[in-house]
Amino acid sequence: MGRHHHRISGTTTPGATGAGPSRTNPSDLTRRRLFGGAGAAVLAAALAGCTGGGQLAEKSASAGSGGGGLQWWDQFRPLTKMLQDDLFAPFMKAHPGVTVERRQMDAPDLGQALQVGRRSNQMPDVHSLAGLGGVSPAALVSEGWFQPIGKLADFAGSPVGELLYDGLHRFNGEVYSFPPFSGRWHEAVPWVNTAMLKQAGVDPEEEPGTWDKLREIARKVTTGNDSGAYGIVVPSKETEYLRALVERLAMAAGAPGPGNVDWATGDYVYDSQPYIDAIEFLVSLQKDKVVHPASASMGARDARARWAAGQAGIYLWGAWFIGGLRVDEPEAVERGVGTWHIPCPETTRNFVYSPPSSGTFWVSDQSKQAGTAAELMLQMTTKEFQTSLAEAMDQPPALAAEVIGQAQVHDAYRTCVANFQEDVRIGPVPEVGNPGVWQVLAEMRDIHPNLGDIVQSVLTGASTDVGGQLRRFNDQISAERERALKVVREEKGVEVDLKAWVFGNWDRKKDYGQQDYAGR
């Protein structure tokens, strides 16, 4: 299920899996397969692939029956110890007789396991949405996947109560989830090997600021070491990584966001100059011969391992980068890691835009322990847990600005979170303004080649017509939205039109807050 045209924060579940959030590990599930059910071959593959031979059915049989431990499935590998020590253990101690059984899987495996569990009535009590390919939580709510939790625990009165949005956490007046993570983030943070930069005569504390300066530093690193390392690594095997990277670089070049839409008109902007400039910037790095030559065969986690091994000096990825390093390549953290603001084409700074963070964890409609599950989830909203979440150095917590000061974190992570406060603004989300939007997005068919496909084809030399490909994609996705709008209006009776993507009161310099939706 593609996310190139309707990504919202909740559908790209924040946090790391060791390979990054689910947005860099998309499942290949289609909407028909998601809502209509998977075939026998898919079920068998999911059982074998996710559970090492089919133990899923046996081990999670209690999930839908109310017996046994409370089942919790997610993809947050670097958070394993923190979740156990700071969430599950204290809760079980305070609630004798309650046990929490967590299963962690990589995002694609989790997505398939959820499909299996849904069809066989073996869903966990609590789960994330990683691996479901970007489907809107609203669509899953409408399909009956979840139970509301707002009457089971006081999320509205919790420290994150003001961050609950209609269409993201609240549906038909009922709270179904909450944002444990901050919406103020992006996945194009320059992470640098400080030792390698110093060897090349570059001061890691002196930020490049501009794309040209970053190119210059990458050239110095490539030529200024005796180990054969390269200036930068750009994992190009995963089109989702490339899509996200180019979207963020385009915003740094002046594009609106999130959503790849001009909020003044509602039109898609994939063919605008900032997107062309962003792709050509990546091409320029290749022409400079500063990109690790194996980049085309690397996924995001592969690239992190190469960076950690000292094969590249710079890697653009998310805040979870250092948390993943600490788990899998701690020696790289000891050697020296730093971070910078996202560079812009010129010295003039442009903001990067993200949607408010959506729900990450949801209570299954099959759960017979919904009250216990809701109380457990509520513990994640406390400042104590939010501080522990910051200390895991993964996706910044919802209360990052409040807790980062007392959290025990690496200086580079603290700098990264501080940079987000300066560089990122919360943008509008059409689903919040009009609940009919998610039905349009669910109706839209994937367009290929999409943005990630186009970037990959350019970087691998399969195509050179950047502008032409972007124009075709922009035209195709615009036409597909028009088709979906017509279907939803005429066949489903939903009142929604292109105006749902228009936010005339959007101010580029400010967060688009909840009160702004009523004033559009």
Side-chain angles (χ1 to χ4, degrees):
M1 195 179 303
R3 275 171 295 189
H4 48 76
H5 57 284
H6 55 90
R7 180 175 57 88
I8 63 173
S9 179
T11 65
T12 54
T13 310
T17 65
S22 61
R23 61 192 157 273
T24 54
N25 292 280
S27 166
D28 62 358
L29 295 170
T30 64
R31 289 181 182 80
R32 185 174 296 109
R33 192 180 295 170
L34 179 62
F35 296 122
V42 176
L43 298 183
L47 283 169
C50 300
T51 66
Q55 299 95 326
L56 173 65
E58 176 185 348
K59 289 207 170 188
S60 66
S62 62
S65 64
L70 187 145
Q71 304 290 322
W72 178 295
W73 294 358
D74 67 56
Q75 82 284 9
F76 297 98
R77 183 162 169 260
L79 300 185
T80 294
K81 187 176 187 301
M82 188 275 295
L83 287 172
Q84 182 61 40
D85 294 349
D86 298 325
L87 181 62
F88 302 145
F91 188 81
M92 288 187 286
K93 183 177 181 180
H95 299 78
V98 173
T99 58
V100 181
E101 300 173 7
R102 175 175 178 260
R103 181 177 290 271
Q104 179 269 319
M105 310 175 215
D106 283 346
D109 292 341
L110 176 57
Q112 289 201 334
L114 289 171
Q115 297 296 303
V116 175
R118 179 78 178 159
R119 284 179 58 83
S120 58
N121 200 41
Q122 297 179 51
M123 288 289 280
D125 297 280
V126 180
H127 63 86
S128 68
L129 306 185
L132 292 180
V135 65
S136 168
L140 296 176
V141 170
S142 75
E143 293 286 326
W145 275 57
F146 313 126
Q147 298 183 46
I149 57 175
K151 293 177 182 176
L152 303 176
D154 187 14
F155 289 92
S158 75
V160 303
E162 293 184 357
L163 302 177
L164 299 177
Y165 280 75
D166 289 334
L168 296 183
H169 318 99
R170 197 166 39 232
F171 305 90
N172 299 319
E174 297 274 7
V175 175
Y176 280 77
S177 190
F178 68 98
F181 299 103
S182 172
R184 205 175 300 280
W185 64 278
H186 66 79
E187 58 275 75
V189 178
W191 293 97
V192 301
N193 178 326
T194 56
M196 189 179 295
L197 263 63
K198 289 175 183 176
Q199 183 184 17
V202 176
D203 181 359
E205 300 296 321
E206 192 172 317
E207 298 205 23
T210 67
W211 291 355
D212 283 345
K213 185 66 175 177
L214 184 69
R215 287 177 65 185
E216 180 185 330
I217 291 174
R219 288 194 294 267
K220 287 183 178 179
V221 172
T222 304
T223 59
N225 71 87
D226 52 14
S227 62
Y230 288 82
I232 192 167
V233 59
V234 183
S236 304
K237 182 180 179 181
E238 296 172 355
T239 57
E240 274 292 287
Y241 171 87
L242 295 174
R243 174 199 59 76
L245 177 61
V246 166
E247 284 180 359
R248 298 306 193 169
L249 291 174
M251 292 180 204
N260 313 294
V261 168
D262 180 349
W263 301 122
T265 64
D267 295 330
Y268 287 113
V269 293
Y270 289 103
D271 59 345
S272 62
Q273 195 62 43
Y275 284 82
I276 296 173
D277 291 345
I279 296 173
E280 290 184 344
F281 166 61
L282 296 179
V283 172
S284 73
L285 293 171
Q286 286 194 334
K287 290 181 178 177
D288 290 346
K289 300 188 185 306
V290 300
V291 178
H292 194 296
S295 289
S297 63
M298 292 185 205
R301 188 190 293 181
D302 302 325
R304 192 193 68 198
R306 297 285 192 119
W307 182 96
Q311 296 183 24
I314 305 168
Y315 182 18
L316 275 63
W317 210 15
W320 54 85
F321 177 83
I322 191 167
L325 281 179
R326 191 178 66 168
V327 171
D328 292 328
E329 294 100 3
E331 67 283 355
V333 180
E334 294 300 320
R335 182 190 60 215
V337 55
T339 188
W340 298 326
H341 290 272
I342 184 173
C344 298
E346 308 294 339
T347 54
T348 302
R349 302 291 301 172
N350 294 305
F351 290 111
V352 169
Y353 303 98
S354 290
S357 179
S358 184
T360 299
F361 300 104
W362 306 75
V363 176
S364 168
D365 72 313
Q366 296 178 12
S367 175
K368 299 296 191 289
Q369 305 183 65
T372 302
E375 285 293 341
L376 174 59
M377 291 163 66
L378 184 64
Q379 304 311 305
M380 302 180 78
T381 70
T382 66
K383 288 190 177 180
E384 292 78 12
F385 180 85
Q386 288 277 303
T387 301
S388 296
L389 191 55
E391 290 174 350
M393 295 187 290
D394 193 88
Q395 185 73 19
L399 306 180
E402 299 177 44
V403 304
I404 196 68
Q406 64 262 32
Q408 300 298 310
V409 298
H410 192 283
D411 286 345
Y413 184 81
R414 195 183 309 277
T415 298
C416 176
V417 173
N419 288 349
F420 286 158
Q421 303 299 315
E422 297 178 15
D423 294 345
V424 181
R425 293 293 178 266
I426 302 300
V429 176
E431 292 92 325
V432 174
N434 186 328
V437 169
W438 75 260
Q439 296 193 53
V440 178
L441 301 178
E443 173 63 30
M444 289 177 69
R445 297 171 300 208
D446 292 337
I447 304 296
H448 290 283
N450 61 28
L451 179 61
D453 299 331
I454 292 169
V455 179
Q456 187 182 63
S457 70
V458 172
L459 294 183
T460 57
S463 173
T464 57
D465 184 15
V466 175
Q469 285 201 85
L470 290 176
R471 281 191 297 276
R472 283 189 292 275
F473 175 54
N474 205 74
D475 290 345
Q476 289 172 335
I477 198 169
S478 299
E480 178 57 18
R481 182 173 59 175
E482 287 291 346
R483 185 199 66 79
L485 276 164
K486 184 177 180 181
V487 168
V488 170
R489 280 197 304 265
E490 296 181 359
E491 298 183 11
K492 300 182 180 180
V494 177
E495 293 186 11
V496 61
D497 57 25
L498 191 60
K499 292 179 181 177
W501 282 263
V502 176
F503 295 85
N505 61 343
W506 177 57
D507 184 337
R508 280 181 171 269
K509 297 180 181 179
K510 298 179 180 179
D511 289 339
Y512 198 87
Q514 296 206 41
Q515 69 283 357
D516 293 316
Y517 288 89
R520 58 193 289 208

